[in-house]
Amino acid sequence: MNQIDLGITDYKPIYINKKIILSANIQEKDNFYFFPKHIHQSIEIYYFISGSCKMDIGKETIIGKSSDVIIIFPNTVHSFYLDSNMPCKFIHIHFDPYILDSIFMNSSNPSIDLFSTLSSINNYYKLTADKKIISLLYSIIDDANNPDEFSEILCNLHLIELLILFIKKENISSSLFPSEAETIPNYVFLAFEYIKQNYSEKILISDIANHLNISSRYLSKLFYKSTNLTVLQYLNIYRVNKSIDLMTTTNKSLTDISLNVGLGDIQHFSRLFKHIIGISPRKYKKLLLHN
């Protein structure tokens, strides 16, 4: 019997049940609400249902009003505040772009580098939502807050469709299919994980490279190409994010927080925090207490 050639040369499964969406909810703020400048590695999506707010994103001040969608990309310093006592109601979604990219990395077809394509637009992306976008946003909220065996998969599928709609609106679909697909290498994901597990200790690039059994130079090249950050820049941002988490969720002193996030010297921590966020950690903590 002759063997039938189905044209399948290499089968690689695509896993869409990974946890990509970190949080998804509907919030309402009023009475001059203010959340000071912060920074994170996730992508943040706001859809404004009613009312308006202001955001300082990088060096720009952006107004978000009813029907607007604003997407804030990783490693961008930003704040959120209301300049009146009127309520502002919005959908708020955080998702992990690096895990999202890993889904496409499993495909044998040219990959859609959604993260790189979107983040190449600016530090943020703003548009007016249409009915399809609004429907997908509410579907994400519904599935994320009513979990069952399929909700994770449905959330991810809704999110992917949503991002593709954003890209199509920008008329940059030709850049989605590069001649040589570039996705985030496994070594970079493993470096993320190493930092996540060890950020509270002293970390050198050589420590991560040795753990991965590759050279520091090769790791640095891969990391910068994938994130547009050096390993040290990413590590510092990660530590500052963790320090902000501790300020908002604990009563720890700044000295203890500095030690907890692996920076040790309070003066070094203060300089680094101010360099990334724009104000000292002491002033930042006062703003949190005030609000």
Side-chain angles (χ1 to χ4, degrees):
M1 181 181 293
N2 293 330
Q3 188 174 22
I4 299 174
D5 183 4
L6 297 176
I8 300 174
T9 57
D10 184 24
Y11 173 74
K12 295 181 180 179
I14 300 175
Y15 300 101
I16 59 171
N17 60 340
K18 297 180 180 180
K19 185 174 179 59
I20 297 173
I21 294 178
L22 305 176
S23 64
N25 50 58
I26 297 176
Q27 298 184 28
E28 186 169 347
K29 305 295 183 183
D30 58 13
N31 195 29
F32 297 93
Y33 175 82
F34 175 74
F35 193 87
K37 291 181 178 180
H38 57 289
I39 190 168
H40 42 67
Q41 281 82 47
S42 60
I43 288 181
E44 204 169 6
I45 299 176
Y46 287 88
Y47 165 64
F48 294 93
I49 301 168
S50 60
S52 66
C53 84
K54 287 186 178 179
M55 294 180 177
D56 291 334
I57 306 176
K59 296 181 179 180
E60 295 185 64
T61 298
I62 308 300
I63 296 175
K65 60 184 185 302
S66 179
S67 297
D68 283 345
V69 174
I70 296 177
I71 307 174
I72 303 174
F73 296 110
N75 310 312
T76 299
V77 177
H78 58 284
S79 62
F80 178 102
Y81 54 97
L82 309 183
D83 57 4
S84 75
N85 61 357
M86 299 298 292
C88 177
K89 188 175 182 180
F90 55 92
I91 285 176
H92 189 209
I93 297 170
H94 272 277
F95 71 90
D96 187 332
Y98 305 105
I99 298 297
L100 180 65
D101 199 55
S102 71
I103 288 177
F104 295 99
M105 187 167 60
N106 283 290
S107 175
S108 58
N109 296 320
S111 72
I112 301 176
D113 190 353
L114 290 171
F115 173 40
S116 297
T117 302
L118 282 169
S119 59
S120 68
I121 299 170
N122 207 328
N123 290 328
Y124 69 93
Y125 172 49
K126 182 180 178 182
L127 77 157
T128 301
D130 57 25
K131 290 182 179 179
K132 180 64 174 177
I133 287 172
I134 294 170
S135 175
L136 287 168
L137 286 165
Y138 275 102
S139 293
I140 291 172
I141 294 295
D142 186 53
D143 287 315
N145 291 281
N146 297 283
D148 59 32
E149 57 184 320
F150 298 113
S151 57
E152 198 94 77
I153 295 172
L154 287 171
C155 279
N156 294 343
L157 291 173
H158 297 322
L159 177 63
I160 291 168
E161 185 177 359
L162 183 68
L163 295 177
I164 290 173
L165 284 177
F166 292 156
I167 291 171
K168 288 175 73 174
K169 278 182 171 290
E170 283 294 316
N171 196 27
I172 53 175
S173 57
S174 60
S175 65
L176 295 179
F177 299 98
S179 55
E180 295 183 9
E182 293 182 1
T183 53
I184 297 179
N186 280 330
Y187 284 128
V188 177
F189 283 110
L190 293 171
F192 291 159
E193 188 62 26
Y194 185 93
I195 289 170
K196 179 180 178 181
Q197 298 297 329
N198 298 279
Y199 71 90
S200 61
E201 307 295 332
K202 181 179 180 181
I203 299 178
L204 302 175
I205 296 176
S206 57
D207 296 329
I208 306 174
N210 290 338
H211 178 74
L212 301 180
N213 200 27
I214 58 176
S215 71
S216 296
R217 183 177 179 182
Y218 183 53
L219 173 60
S220 297
K221 181 180 178 180
L222 289 177
F223 201 96
Y224 189 83
K225 187 176 183 180
S226 299
T227 66
N228 204 33
L229 294 168
T230 67
V231 177
L232 181 58
Q233 286 173 328
Y234 179 89
L235 175 60
N236 286 338
I237 289 170
Y238 192 91
R239 284 170 163 162
V240 167
N241 284 334
K242 287 297 180 181
S243 72
I244 290 173
D245 287 344
L246 290 172
M247 286 184 206
T248 56
T249 59
T250 73
N251 293 319
K252 290 179 181 290
S253 68
L254 292 177
T255 299
D256 287 341
I257 289 173
S258 177
L259 291 170
N260 287 167
V261 300
L263 290 170
D265 184 349
I266 185 65
Q267 292 181 335
H268 174 57
F269 169 57
S270 296
R271 286 194 300 269
L272 181 64
F273 192 100
K274 187 173 183 179
H275 176 72
I276 292 174
I277 301 299
I279 60 174
S280 71
R282 194 172 302 280
K283 288 183 178 179
Y284 191 94
K285 193 170 184 180
K286 285 182 179 178
L287 284 173
L288 290 176
L289 291 172
H290 179 72
N291 288 280

